[in-house]
Amino acid sequence: MLSDCVPMNRPRSQPVHTAMRYSSGIAEAGLRALVWSACVWVTSGLTHNGSNGHGLIQTGFPLYGQHNNLALPSRRCRRRASLRQLENQGCPDVFRSWDQVSDWLQVNGNSRRQLPGLKEVVSQIQEELRNQEHRMKQLELQVEVKSEKEMSLEARLRQLQQGQSESNTLLHIHASLIYDLQTQVHNLTALLEQARSNSDCSIHQNLTDQHKHPDLQYVRNCPIDCASIYLNGESQSGVYTIVPSIGGFPTRVFCDMDTAGGGWTVIQRRLDGNTDFNRDWREYREGFGDLPAEFWLGNDHIHAVTSQGEYSLRIDLEDWNSRHRFGLYKTFSIEDESNHYRLHVGGFSGSVEDSFAWYHNKRSFSTPDTGNICAKISHGGWWYHQCFFSNLNGVYYKGGRYSGKARKLLGPDGIVWYSWKNSDYYSLKKVSMKIRPRSFRSRQTP
């Protein structure tokens, strides 16, 4: 390509003046040098795309290579630069291409002068981008913190909602309990009013009369026990309502109006084994069973009655051969629950040998759930010692005799009165415990 840039020699047949030839030679030499430089500069950046010179220059220069009709008679161009002469086209206009190159160089120079400013602008843009990235990270962290707070608030809200639901449930339960308590109070009030109206009982009058007459254990028309009911004119055994103690609640009791002159408040009875006496402390405290049949009156009620004055205890026994015996104790009372219903009993007499007072007096009441081993292996509630000589709240064994080996027992647990057969393995058929004031006087001689 560079060889094409060499100007062609003029034909020797044309006469030229020497001076003109000299000046023309100088001009031509200058022009040749100029064109040579341009050709060298242009062709140094020239690349072809494989199309025999028809491609574009990839140097970033403006396109050049305009054609003209300045051709020799031989139809060859006087001068050629980087572009070939193509068929049916004129000669390449080197100088026009040079003007375009000059313009590009000038523009490129201006661009180079602007480059430091552009670098500074780019640097500022990069710094701004870094600032924006830092700001984006801060915003992301804030969004994460906000999300965590929102999650925490949602969890707290769920906890509060759950707490509110539980509170509503508790309020509903409390409302039900209050309603039940109100119903019970209403029923108890009705029973109290009924007892007072039926017996014309005045608690205040009762206290006044007892203060004036300490030995008087009952007041007419005020049923504090079955003896007062008897003295009020009742002579039929059955279930009655009494109001023991100062301001006490009405209590349903079974009154024995037939045995030894009547007036007995029955506190325990065993008849046929239909009631299980293997109960816990609460049940023995409040009472259980069926008053017309088998029952335990309840330690609270027994304490309430015996704390009104001096009471006697009668125990009636019957074996499986229908033999009857009894034991009578001149004094009987039990303490309150805080003292474990401790027993006070004495002054024995009767038709059977004592198996109760001499061994069980001053002993606390216990049940299988209190941790007392005797109560646990004896399956009942009683004033156990080590363990018993009487166990009237034991297991009901039909037929009387039972064996520990046959039943894999740790010890005797029947309805035992040891002196009956001098044995712990004979269970009685019927027993009952009943109390009345020591000063009681029957209307008839028994």
Side-chain angles (χ1 to χ4, degrees):
M1 295 295 295
L2 292 177
S3 62
D4 293 336
C5 293
V6 177
M8 300 178 59
N9 294 326
R10 298 174 59 86
R12 294 183 179 181
S13 60
Q14 295 181 4
V16 181
H17 193 271
T18 302
M20 291 179 63
R21 289 177 59 190
Y22 180 78
S23 59
S24 175
I26 294 175
E28 186 175 354
L31 180 60
R32 180 181 296 176
L34 180 62
V35 172
W36 174 262
S37 299
C39 288
V40 171
W41 184 84
V42 171
T43 56
S44 64
L46 183 64
T47 58
H48 296 282
N49 61 357
S51 58
N52 296 327
H54 293 282
L56 299 176
I57 298 175
Q58 302 298 324
T59 59
F61 296 161
L63 295 176
Y64 67 93
Q66 302 293 331
H67 295 82
N68 57 38
N69 295 322
L70 298 179
L72 296 176
S74 62
R75 300 184 65 180
R76 296 189 64 182
C77 296
R78 295 181 179 181
R79 290 177 177 81
R80 289 180 299 166
S82 60
L83 297 178
R84 297 179 180 273
Q85 179 182 4
L86 302 178
E87 187 177 358
N88 298 326
Q89 292 186 6
C91 297
D93 193 343
V94 175
F95 299 101
R96 186 176 300 173
S97 299
W98 172 251
D99 292 338
Q100 294 175 356
V101 170
S102 298
D103 292 340
W104 184 87
L105 290 175
Q106 184 176 1
V107 172
N108 190 41
N110 294 334
S111 299
R112 287 179 180 273
R113 286 190 295 273
Q114 295 175 358
L115 185 59
L118 292 175
K119 287 182 177 180
E120 183 177 358
V121 172
V122 170
S123 177
Q124 293 176 355
I125 293 174
Q126 290 177 343
E127 182 67 21
E128 184 65 22
L129 286 174
R130 284 193 294 270
N131 293 336
Q132 293 297 331
E133 289 177 355
H134 180 69
R135 179 60 178 167
M136 288 293 293
K137 290 181 179 179
Q138 289 182 339
L139 291 175
E140 290 175 355
L141 291 175
Q142 292 177 359
V143 170
E144 291 179 358
V145 171
K146 184 177 180 181
S147 299
E148 292 178 356
K149 288 183 178 179
E150 290 178 352
M151 293 177 63
S152 177
L153 290 174
E154 290 178 357
R156 180 60 178 166
L157 180 59
R158 287 193 296 271
Q159 291 178 353
L160 291 174
Q161 290 175 345
Q162 183 178 1
Q164 183 181 7
S165 177
E166 294 175 353
S167 298
N168 291 335
T169 302
L170 290 175
L171 288 174
H172 179 72
I173 294 173
H174 290 167
S176 299
L177 291 174
I178 291 173
Y179 178 78
D180 292 340
L181 288 174
Q182 290 175 342
T183 302
Q184 293 179 13
V185 169
H186 176 74
N187 293 336
L188 290 173
T189 302
L191 286 174
L192 180 59
E193 292 300 327
Q194 180 182 2
R196 288 176 175 174
S197 61
N198 291 341
S199 60
D200 192 21
C201 177
S202 172
I203 299 298
H204 177 72
Q205 183 65 32
N206 178 25
L207 294 177
T208 302
D209 292 341
Q210 285 194 27
H211 178 72
K212 293 179 180 179
H213 307 283
D215 294 335
L216 188 63
Q217 302 303 319
Y218 48 88
V219 179
R220 185 170 180 80
N221 295 328
C222 188
I224 62 175
D225 54 23
C226 289
S228 60
I229 291 177
Y230 175 86
L231 294 177
N232 285 341
E234 296 291 341
S235 59
Q236 184 72 32
S237 296
V239 178
Y240 294 88
T241 300
I242 64 173
V243 186
S245 298
I246 300 173
F249 288 104
T251 303
R252 302 284 284 175
V253 296
F254 186 89
C255 294
D256 181 355
M257 302 299 189
D258 301 316
T259 302
W264 296 100
T265 302
V266 181
I267 63 174
Q268 184 259 26
R269 185 162 58 182
R270 310 293 301 273
L271 294 175
D272 49 22
N274 288 331
T275 298
D276 183 12
F277 275 66
N278 187 12
R279 305 293 185 105
D280 59 22
W281 179 266
R282 181 187 61 82
E283 292 175 294
Y284 269 98
R285 178 187 65 205
E286 299 174 359
F288 57 86
D290 185 14
L291 289 176
E294 295 189 325
F295 67 91
W296 178 259
L297 182 61
N299 289 332
D300 274 350
H301 300 310
I302 298 172
H303 166 71
V305 173
T306 59
S307 64
Q308 299 178 121
E310 295 181 353
Y311 278 77
S312 299
L313 169 68
R314 179 185 173 103
I315 298 178
D316 286 287
L317 310 170
E318 181 182 342
D319 66 8
W320 291 89
N321 294 319
S322 299
R323 288 180 295 186
H324 298 266
R325 296 177 185 175
F326 75 93
L328 183 63
Y329 298 88
K330 186 176 182 180
T331 61
F332 172 80
S333 66
I334 63 173
E335 300 181 23
D336 59 11
E337 184 177 17
S338 63
N339 293 303
H340 307 286
Y341 304 112
R342 185 180 292 112
L343 173 66
H344 298 275
V345 61
F348 173 76
S349 62
S351 61
V352 67
E353 185 178 346
D354 181 26
S355 292
F356 182 46
W358 75 270
Y359 191 74
H360 296 276
N361 187 35
K362 302 293 181 68
R363 300 303 168 185
S364 297
F365 197 87
S366 58
T367 55
D369 61 318
T370 59
N372 186 298
I373 186 62
C374 290
K376 190 173 183 63
I377 66 177
S378 300
H379 305 103
W382 195 247
W383 296 275
Y384 291 107
H385 186 13
Q386 293 180 355
C387 280
F388 62 77
F389 270 79
S390 62
N391 186 39
L392 302 187
N393 289 335
V395 178
Y396 193 92
Y397 288 106
K398 293 184 177 181
R401 297 191 180 276
Y402 65 99
S403 170
K405 293 182 179 180
R407 301 180 182 275
K408 297 181 180 180
L409 301 175
L410 296 176
D413 62 354
I415 303 175
V416 174
W417 189 271
Y418 182 83
S419 64
W420 190 279
K421 289 185 178 291
N422 292 325
S423 173
D424 290 325
Y425 290 94
Y426 185 82
S427 182
L428 295 171
K429 181 179 180 180
K430 295 180 180 180
V431 298
S432 65
M433 301 173 66
K434 54 200 74 173
I435 59 176
R436 71 181 179 187
R438 285 178 56 187
S439 60
F440 176 81
R441 297 293 182 268
S442 175
R443 294 193 304 268
Q444 302 175 3
T445 302

